[in-house]
């Protein structure tokens, strides 16, 4: 059965009017010596593509999924795998991501759920070998089931904590069985609603031990993939512990986990945290800790995690400037953690949505490269700090100065003359390329 009524999407260039074509994403085109495909490493999330019914807090799902019988049967789960791979093949997307409960149903007990997972993983393995598609990362859903309503690795209940550990153990093993390149922790319920009932210190200690157990288990089973933590400030928890890049890095350092984890940064999470994506990426990169990206965007008018497809070229340009600056993503990729609007209910809307996201990023990549090649922006940035390249500034740069030496210098030199920051000039410069 063919469910996506379109040909395989091909690059036709910016003048094409064919909605089933890429205008900018030319997978083999070389930029800075690397193909667009290798720069962008696009991934599709199983949860949005196959499982998101497009329900919202005010209404039921609208998505038409003619392949899905709505049951929790393993057969239904196995059928979805074929549809998902039809989608990946048509899009030319080489990576994907999942939660355990997206790919297989949660059944009456853990052993039954694990058996269902094994059946689907076996099929995913076959499909991967057939197509060359790779698993970018796997994860366990530790936030949907009511047992996790008060947290998973930060639950006040040791029984829930144990259940969560068992679930992560299995999800890691499935990721490993599929040669997954990474494993993600997003702590949807790892936070609190009120401190009246919360021992924050105890919960954080438990979370750290949980992550150490994951690191130990990876060693035990020979899983060499990357571990990612995905920051988000709120929703569903009022206060989430992994609220932004800085909070995650602090937590990882405090609990001696920093060598084992990098961050998976998501645009809509950055903006919910009151930051720009550029800020969050920069904080992670400065610490050498940017691992992967959940590529989406939020709605400026709605204060939720609306998980929209990235269409903003300024945004994709900023992201790709950061990615190029750090020398490219290694094990990570650009995972479209994005869903269609509730009104876009047809299967074919999934195709349009991903074409848009991929083209927006391809354009961002081309523009970022052009800005780098032009060199004026980096020259300005370098020159802005040139007083630190010699003399008293260099002493500061190499931590040689003291308060006394700086005081002497300040008394001798008088009132500093400050150069303009030229924000508007630089904004004009960026717009030359967009
Ligand atoms: C939730 C979110 C998740 C994670 C994986 O906001 O982004 O889908 O990416 O659990
Ligand atoms: Co995400």
């Amino acid at each position: 059965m063919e469910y996506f009524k379109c040909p395989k999407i091909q690059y036709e260039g910016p003048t094409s009017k064919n909605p089933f074509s890429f205008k900018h994403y030319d997978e083999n085109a070389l930029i800075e010596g690397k193909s667009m495909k290798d720069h962008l490493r696009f991934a599709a999330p199983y949860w949005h593509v196959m499982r998101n019914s497009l329900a919202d807090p005010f209404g039921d799902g609208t998505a038409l999924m003619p392949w899905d019988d709505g049951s929790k049967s393993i057969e239904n789960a196995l059928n979805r795998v074929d549809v998902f791979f039809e989608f990946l093949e048509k899009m030319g997307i080489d990576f994907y991501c999942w939660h355990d409960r997206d790919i297989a149903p949660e059944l009456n007990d853990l052993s039954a759920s694990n058996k269902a997972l094994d059946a689907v993983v076996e099929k995913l393995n076959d499909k991967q070998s057939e197509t060359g598609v790779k698993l970018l990362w796997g994860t366990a859903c530790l936030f949907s089931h009511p047992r996790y309503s008060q947290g998973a690795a930060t639950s006040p209940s040791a029984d829930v904590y144990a259940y969560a550990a068992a679930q992560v153990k299995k999800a890691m093993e499935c990721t490993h069985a599929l040669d997954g390149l990474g494993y993600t922790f997003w702590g949807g319920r790892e936070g609190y609603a009120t401190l009246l009932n919360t021992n924050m210190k105890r919960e954080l200690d438990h979370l750290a031990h949980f992550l150490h157990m994951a690191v130990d288990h990876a060693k035990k089973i020979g899983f060499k993939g990357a571990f990612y933590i995905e920051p988000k400030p709120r929703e569903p928890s009022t206060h989430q512990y992994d609220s932004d890049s800085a909070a995650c890095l602090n937590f990882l350092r405090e609990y001696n986990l920093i060598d084992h984890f990098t961050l998976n940064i998501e645009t809509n999470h950055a903006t919910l945290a009151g930051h720009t994506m550029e800020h969050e990426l920069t904080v992670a990169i400065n610490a050498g800790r940017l691992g992967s990206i959940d590529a989406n965007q939020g709605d400026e008018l709605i204060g939720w995690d609306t998980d929209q497809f990235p269409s903003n070229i300024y945004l994709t340009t900023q992201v790709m400037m950061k990615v190029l600056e750090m020398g490219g993503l290694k094990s990570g990729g650009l995972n479209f953690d994005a869903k269609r609007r509730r009104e876009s209910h047809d299967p074919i809307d999934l195709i349009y949505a991903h074409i848009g996201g991929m083209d927006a990023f391809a354009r961002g990549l081309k523009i970022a490269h052009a800005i780098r090649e032009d060199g004026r922006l980096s020259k300005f940035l370098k020159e802005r700090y040139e007083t630190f390249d010699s003399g008293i500034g260099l002493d500061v740069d190499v931590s040689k100065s003291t308060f006394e030496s700086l005081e002497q210098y300040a008394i001798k030199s008088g009132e500093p003359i400050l150069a303009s920051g030229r924000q508007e000039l630089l904004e004009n410069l960026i717009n030359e390329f967009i």
Side-chain angles (χ1 to χ4, degrees):
M1 261 305 251
E2 188 194 35
Y3 287 104
F4 299 98
K5 307 271 185 256
C6 64
K8 182 169 165 40
I9 310 303
Q10 310 276 6
Y11 174 70
E12 291 184 5
T15 57
S16 170
K17 298 279 179 276
N18 175 8
F20 295 120
S21 73
F22 295 119
K23 317 291 184 292
H24 296 277
Y25 179 57
D26 183 3
E27 59 176 30
N28 296 316
L30 293 182
I31 289 181
E32 303 192 12
K34 207 157 91 176
S35 70
M36 274 198 169
K37 197 189 189 100
D38 289 343
H39 275 292
L40 296 164
R41 297 170 64 82
F42 289 127
Y46 208 92
W47 57 99
H48 283 314
V49 177
M50 295 316 297
R51 306 307 310 278
N52 198 324
S53 69
L54 307 180
D56 74 10
F58 302 95
D60 292 344
T62 58
L64 302 175
M65 302 183 189
W67 52 81
D68 201 304
D69 67 14
S71 79
K72 280 186 153 204
S73 74
I74 296 183
E75 201 196 342
N76 194 24
L78 293 173
N79 283 340
R80 286 189 202 112
V81 173
D82 290 314
V83 182
F84 186 61
F85 275 77
E86 181 200 330
F87 171 80
L88 293 178
E89 208 267 346
K90 290 224 158 116
M91 291 309 311
I93 292 180
D94 290 339
F95 297 97
Y96 72 112
C97 305
W98 49 243
H99 299 84
D100 49 359
R101 302 308 182 226
D102 311 327
I103 53 172
E106 171 139 25
L107 299 172
N108 288 337
D109 61 54
L110 194 55
S111 310
S113 302
N114 285 352
K115 256 177 92 175
L117 254 178
D118 286 335
V120 180
V121 165
E122 196 183 320
K123 177 148 185 183
L124 287 170
N125 218 344
D126 291 345
K127 282 291 193 183
Q128 286 184 197
S129 325
E130 237 175 72
T131 57
V133 162
K134 291 192 178 73
L135 177 63
L136 190 73
W137 49 260
T139 186
C141 177
L142 302 181
F143 45 88
S144 291
H145 194 281
R147 85 173 69 83
Y148 297 126
S149 61
Q150 300 178 41
T154 61
S155 171
S157 153
D159 288 358
V160 171
Y161 186 93
Y163 206 106
Q167 212 182 310
V168 168
K169 174 178 178 289
K170 182 67 181 171
M172 279 176 59
E173 288 163 5
C174 292
T175 301
H176 185 41
L178 293 171
D179 283 328
L181 301 176
Y183 186 90
T184 292
F185 290 87
W186 169 62
R189 307 276 174 193
E190 313 298 18
Y192 64 91
T194 170
L195 284 175
L196 290 174
N197 64 14
T198 303
N199 185 331
M200 191 199 286
K201 175 83 174 86
R202 214 164 171 191
E203 293 197 359
L204 286 169
D205 288 350
H206 294 165
L207 177 58
H209 177 60
F210 197 93
L211 298 178
H212 275 291
M213 288 191 294
V215 170
D216 291 345
H217 193 62
K219 266 188 213 131
K220 203 171 289 171
I221 63 175
F223 174 64
K224 302 223 163 51
F227 274 130
Y228 306 121
I229 303 243
E230 184 176 321
K232 184 173 181 181
R234 62 188 69 83
E235 196 204 299
S237 301
T238 314
H239 301 269
Q240 276 181 220
Y241 293 134
D242 299 332
S243 56
D244 63 4
S245 291
C248 285
L249 291 170
N250 181 57
F251 170 83
L252 292 171
R253 288 192 186 107
E254 182 177 353
Y255 287 100
N256 287 324
L257 287 157
I258 191 83
D259 293 337
H260 304 288
F261 286 82
T262 57
L263 304 186
N264 179 35
I265 311 280
E266 176 166 329
T267 315
N268 208 162
H269 297 182
T271 48
L272 278 176
H275 300 305
T276 60
M277 181 60 166
E278 219 184 355
H279 170 89
E280 285 295 84
L281 293 173
T282 304
V283 171
I285 291 170
N286 288 347
R289 283 283 162 278
L290 176 62
S292 201
I293 289 175
D294 270 8
N296 62 15
Q297 69 184 38
D299 186 311
E300 282 170 18
L301 305 179
I302 303 179
W304 309 338
D305 189 14
T306 56
D307 276 349
Q308 286 168 232
F309 277 84
S311 61
N312 182 330
I313 309 295
Y314 284 90
L315 169 71
T316 58
T317 300
Q318 288 167 341
V319 171
M320 291 319 295
M321 283 188 48
K322 289 291 156 195
V323 169
L324 290 177
E325 199 179 293
M326 74 173 259
L329 296 167
K330 305 286 173 316
S331 55
L334 296 177
N335 170 43
F336 289 114
D337 196 351
K339 63 186 181 213
R340 295 160 288 159
R341 296 308 83 199
R342 191 163 177 270
E343 300 89 327
S344 309
H345 49 249
D346 289 332
I348 205 70
D349 289 312
L350 280 167
I351 300 274
Y352 293 137
H354 285 80
I355 290 176
M358 290 164 79
D359 260 349
F361 265 97
R363 254 184 110 176
L365 170 61
K366 289 197 273 190
I367 295 166
H369 166 62
I371 293 169
R372 278 158 62 82
E373 205 174 46
D374 171 78
R376 276 175 289 163
L377 185 66
S378 55
K379 183 165 176 281
F380 180 88
L381 194 59
K382 189 175 176 306
E383 286 174 0
R384 189 162 185 233
Y385 294 88
E386 71 186 356
T387 57
F388 286 96
D389 290 344
S390 60
I392 195 79
L394 186 60
D395 285 353
V396 172
D397 227 44
V398 298
S399 307
K400 236 179 69 188
S401 63
T402 60
F403 269 1
E404 285 80 10
S405 72
L406 293 174
E407 183 189 46
Q408 254 181 27
Y409 179 84
I411 289 170
K412 194 171 77 203
S413 313
E415 190 57 34
I417 298 163
L418 195 55
S420 164
R422 300 262 188 267
Q423 179 169 335
E424 297 76 10
L425 173 80
L426 299 174
E427 285 166 351
N428 298 352
L429 192 158
I430 297 297
N431 278 0
E432 277 181 39
F433 294 88
I434 292 190

